[in-house]
Amino acid sequence: MMNSTPRQRARLETEAQITRIGNRMLDDDGLDGVSLRAIARELGIVSSAIYRYVKNRDELLTILIRDAFTSIADDVDEALEHDTSVLTVGVTMLAWSRRHPNRWALIYGTPVPDYQAPRDETVVPGTRIMVTLTTLLSQASVHGNPNSQVPPAHALDVLREGLRELGLEPDDQVIMRTVTVWAAIIGLINALRFGQFGPGIEPVEDELMQGLVSTLGY
């Protein structure tokens, strides 16, 4: 960091350590295993000192959620540099979910009780893949159902406004394609990660994603 003081650099490093330790706890034991007091012990500081960096558990959750969204979006962006396709988005998200199942559950699973993610900190990282997918679908050739119908314009008003806030102006067909592909990819990965297909499905996860994307017409 240019022109930063030693104190600022030390704080940034401590904050990075808190994120790394928190992620490791989440990976090892799920959300129940994430503890500010345990992080303080690992950092070698008294438990009260941790609050100089993280105000409370909700703020720690926000840090971990933001980091998870950034991590998966970075993976998708990197993969798309080599192969620009809807399938690349799907298989990359799937691979990330396998490596980090508890992080996946945190950002795409059941909402954490009594926690409300602050929009100003989570919307941008949380919508990066959606923005990428919308842009990709606006350029993609579609071979899906020729009789598919776009809902009435008013049904897409909220989504249209949300995409506009993110700097996108897709037409209604692209919005509906994005909703369809997004819901399908997230739904399949959730079904796989949360055991909804039963045991023995793990070896064919990638093939299922390929079939899903092909069935959608991409």
Side-chain angles (χ1 to χ4, degrees), residues 33-46:
V34 178
S35 163
L36 280 171
R37 289 180 177 274
I39 291 174
R41 285 196 300 270
E42 190 156 335
L43 288 173
I45 60 178
V46 296

Side-chain angles (χ1 to χ4, degrees), residues 135-195:
T135 303
L136 182 61
L137 291 173
S138 69
Q139 303 165 350
S141 299
V142 185
H143 307 289
N145 181 2
N147 299 317
S148 61
Q149 296 183 355
V150 175
H154 69 84
L156 300 178
D157 283 348
V158 173
L159 294 171
R160 190 182 300 106
E161 181 59 31
L163 290 168
R164 187 175 292 120
E165 290 177 2
L166 295 170
L168 301 176
E169 294 278 356
D171 62 34
D172 287 1
Q173 286 190 340
V174 171
I175 294 175
M176 201 60 228
R177 288 177 202 164
T178 302
V179 170
T180 302
V181 173
W182 182 257
I185 289 175
I186 297 295
L188 175 60
I189 298 176
N190 277 347
L192 293 169
R193 292 288 70 80
F194 303 144

